[in-house]
Amino acid sequence: MTINSRGRRLHTPRAARWPAARSPAIAAFLSFVWPGLGQWYAGRPREAVLFAAPVGALLLLFLVWLAGGLERALVDLLLPAVAVTFIVVILAEGAWRIASLVHAAWLSGGGRPAFRDPQVGGAVAALTLVVVVTHIWAASVAWSLYQASDRVFDPGIGVGPVASGPPQPSDGFLATPQVTPETAESRINILLTGIDSSERRKHALTDTLIVVSVDPVTGDVAMVSFPRDIARFEQPDGTIFKKGKINSLMTYADSHPAEYPDGGLPTLISQLGYLLGVPIHYYAAVDLDGFRKLIDAVGGVTVDNPRAINDRSYGGWLDGHIGFKLSKGVHHLDGETALAYARSRMGAGDNDFTRARRQQQLLVALRARLTDPTLLPQLPAIIEAGSNTLRTNFPRDRLQEMLAVGRTIESDDGIERVVLGPPYAKNPPPGTPGGYQLIIDMRRLAKLSIKLFGNDSRYAASVP
């Protein structure tokens, strides 16, 4: 504002009041780095604080959130309310950043004329594009987790079988558990089942059956594998199952509703819980082909193979070749090789028991890989692979709790791992119909159950 010779006030153009010799491109870049810096550079501290303060508050909240670990933050994003909030905040922050860099260039360049300079306009456009791409990527990760959460944790009932793709128990997934832990401190038991299905099969075989038991109070974790060839086992009603092996129970129960009105998956869950002596609360079904894709998405896993494998009959390769070899020692496995490692059982010295131990080993290795922060750029692909591979009815609101327990396990040695082969299950006498099979020694299994689960085991009151 100036006064002329007659004493009248004259309006001074706003651009003339701004400091001279300020580069609009530099101002835009500074506000790109941190909103408000460009305004400070342009000599406008009040506007600088206005743009910087909200972003500073968001950063502080974000750092507090990340203080619990990246994996915990990702688990939080599986909760729909958190995911939606994150998406809104990240898009709003991106829009705020763009507004700040454009405003900084406008201040430093004298208003609209600054954008007529090709260099300034190009710089602002380029910086805006970077903001848009990075923020859309971050929002897409949260959106992927939101969608994956619905697919993985809320599968519904009666989805029906398909020839390939995600795990498809023939009677559909269970959206709600049959039984739940009595209290928040009670032991949690989860069935991990690998569904071996393909276009060449008319049914799905549960060739991988692992019960994972977690004590939330002590942090104790046990993994118990049921070999696929267990047969002639006692059922909860006291009768003996004589229609096949345990890996076919789910399909048989589903196709015989008069005998098994609960359906396939509920029958399998109840049966394994009955044998093991503790109720199984939740399940997680994994498609073995999807497992291969998930391993590839995380860049492979590292395992220490305890003994050389030479399975000349293995035929699970995508290219159709036969045989699988792996020397003793540490190996980094891609998805297809990891799947062979999990499925091979016909090599010299190998059987269902060695295969079950390798499956447990792979699960631990995959857990270690998923917690690697270097995988952040591959996160969308990992989420996509996981959401098409896994189905579970485990409650989302207890994921953080299970994650905390997992952090207390520093190595594979922190997990009690058992395979129900000899001495817990043995071959029947020669001549027994049904081919190769294993018969459970219920007394030994009862003692194991008491050892693992203490008074939580139903056998505790009956076995001395």
Side-chain angles (χ1 to χ4, degrees):
M1 191 75 62
T2 58
I3 299 176
N4 65 8
S5 59
R6 297 180 181 180
R8 293 181 180 179
R9 295 180 178 180
L10 299 178
H11 177 73
T12 303
R14 193 172 184 183
R17 302 198 303 269
W18 297 327
R22 301 295 190 186
S23 167
I26 292 177
F29 177 76
L30 290 173
S31 278
F32 164 79
V33 173
W34 188 272
L37 284 181
Q39 283 76 9
W40 189 273
Y41 169 79
R44 304 294 286 267
R46 187 172 297 177
E47 284 93 334
V49 173
L50 176 64
F51 278 103
V55 179
L58 284 178
L59 178 63
L60 180 60
L61 291 174
F62 186 69
L63 291 177
V64 171
W65 186 39
L66 286 183
L70 177 61
E71 55 190 288
R72 178 176 179 178
L74 293 178
V75 169
D76 279 340
L77 288 174
L78 292 173
L79 300 174
V82 177
V84 171
T85 301
F86 183 84
I87 291 170
V88 171
V89 169
I90 200 68
L91 292 179
E93 196 276 340
W96 189 254
R97 188 177 295 270
I98 292 172
S100 178
L101 70 90
V102 171
H103 182 257
W106 188 72
L107 284 179
S108 298
R112 188 177 300 174
F115 298 100
R116 295 172 185 162
D117 185 335
Q119 291 184 343
V120 174
V124 170
L127 294 172
T128 299
L129 180 61
V130 172
V131 173
V132 169
V133 170
T134 54
H135 285 67
I136 287 180
W137 176 86
S140 69
V141 170
W143 179 249
S144 297
L145 283 166
Y146 175 81
Q147 292 183 309
S149 177
D150 282 344
R151 288 198 296 267
V152 171
F153 290 95
D154 190 17
I157 299 176
V159 294
V162 295
S164 60
Q168 299 287 340
S170 55
D171 64 335
F173 301 111
L174 307 177
T176 56
Q178 295 169 276
V179 293
T180 56
E182 294 181 2
T183 68
E185 293 75 32
S186 299
R187 181 180 293 275
I188 300 173
N189 305 311
I190 308 166
L191 169 63
L192 304 182
T193 176
I195 310 294
D196 193 359
S197 59
S198 69
E199 296 178 358
R200 296 169 295 184
R201 289 188 172 176
K202 296 181 181 180
H203 59 281
L205 294 177
T206 49
D207 283 350
T208 301
L209 296 169
I210 303 174
V211 175
V212 178
S213 182
V214 180
D215 187 329
V217 177
T218 65
D220 293 337
V221 179
M223 299 176 71
V224 181
S225 291
F226 286 78
R228 55 176 277 177
D229 292 313
I230 289 176
R232 298 178 180 272
F233 45 85
E234 181 180 314
Q235 301 183 96
D237 62 2
T239 62
I240 302 300
F241 183 72
K242 299 180 180 179
K243 304 298 184 179
K245 300 176 182 179
I246 202 165
N247 70 327
S248 64
L249 173 62
M250 188 177 73
T251 298
Y252 181 86
D254 182 50
S255 59
H256 295 80
E259 295 180 58
Y260 298 95
D262 290 340
L265 186 55
T267 296
L268 178 64
I269 290 172
S270 296
Q271 179 63 60
L272 296 179
Y274 174 77
L275 292 175
L276 196 55
V278 289
I280 294 177
H281 307 109
Y282 310 108
Y283 77 91
V286 179
D287 172 56
L288 293 186
D289 185 60
F291 179 75
R292 171 184 63 82
K293 295 176 181 177
L294 181 58
I295 294 291
D296 281 334
V298 301
V301 294
T302 300
V303 299
D304 188 355
N305 182 26
R307 55 183 302 278
I309 301 173
N310 185 9
D311 184 351
R312 297 181 180 180
S313 64
Y314 180 78
W317 303 104
L318 293 177
D319 61 6
H321 78 269
I322 303 298
F324 171 56
K325 290 184 178 182
L326 192 71
S327 62
K328 177 182 178 180
V330 177
H331 295 272
H332 190 75
L333 310 179
D334 62 12
E336 195 168 5
T337 308
L339 187 58
Y341 190 71
R343 299 177 71 184
S344 172
R345 68 187 186 112
M346 301 302 292
D350 272 335
N351 47 44
D352 241 9
F353 319 130
T354 56
R355 178 174 73 165
R357 293 187 185 96
R358 292 198 298 265
Q359 290 170 354
Q360 294 181 356
Q361 184 186 24
L362 276 173
L363 287 175
V364 175
L366 178 58
R367 168 193 166 273
R369 188 72 180 123
L370 286 170
T371 58
D372 186 345
T374 63
L375 290 179
L376 189 59
Q378 285 78 43
L379 196 54
I382 295 171
I383 295 169
E384 179 68 20
S387 66
N388 290 326
T389 299
L390 176 67
R391 295 294 182 271
T392 184
N393 62 354
F394 189 83
R396 280 178 276 198
D397 58 3
R398 298 202 70 176
L399 285 176
Q400 290 290 9
E401 181 184 344
M402 292 299 98
L403 186 62
V405 172
R407 287 198 195 98
T408 66
I409 304 172
E410 297 181 356
S411 68
D412 193 2
D413 297 333
I415 301 175
E416 183 80 22
R417 291 167 45 182
V418 180
V419 177
L420 295 182
Y424 308 108
K426 299 180 180 180
N427 300 120
T432 302
Y436 180 82
Q437 54 191 285
L438 294 166
I439 307 300
I440 291 180
D441 184 330
M442 292 300 293
R443 186 170 182 80
R444 287 184 181 273
L445 181 56
K447 290 183 176 180
L448 173 67
S449 177
I450 296 172
K451 175 187 174 183
L452 294 176
F453 312 121
N455 292 330
D456 291 336
S457 170
R458 71 177 180 88
Y459 298 111
S462 58
V463 177

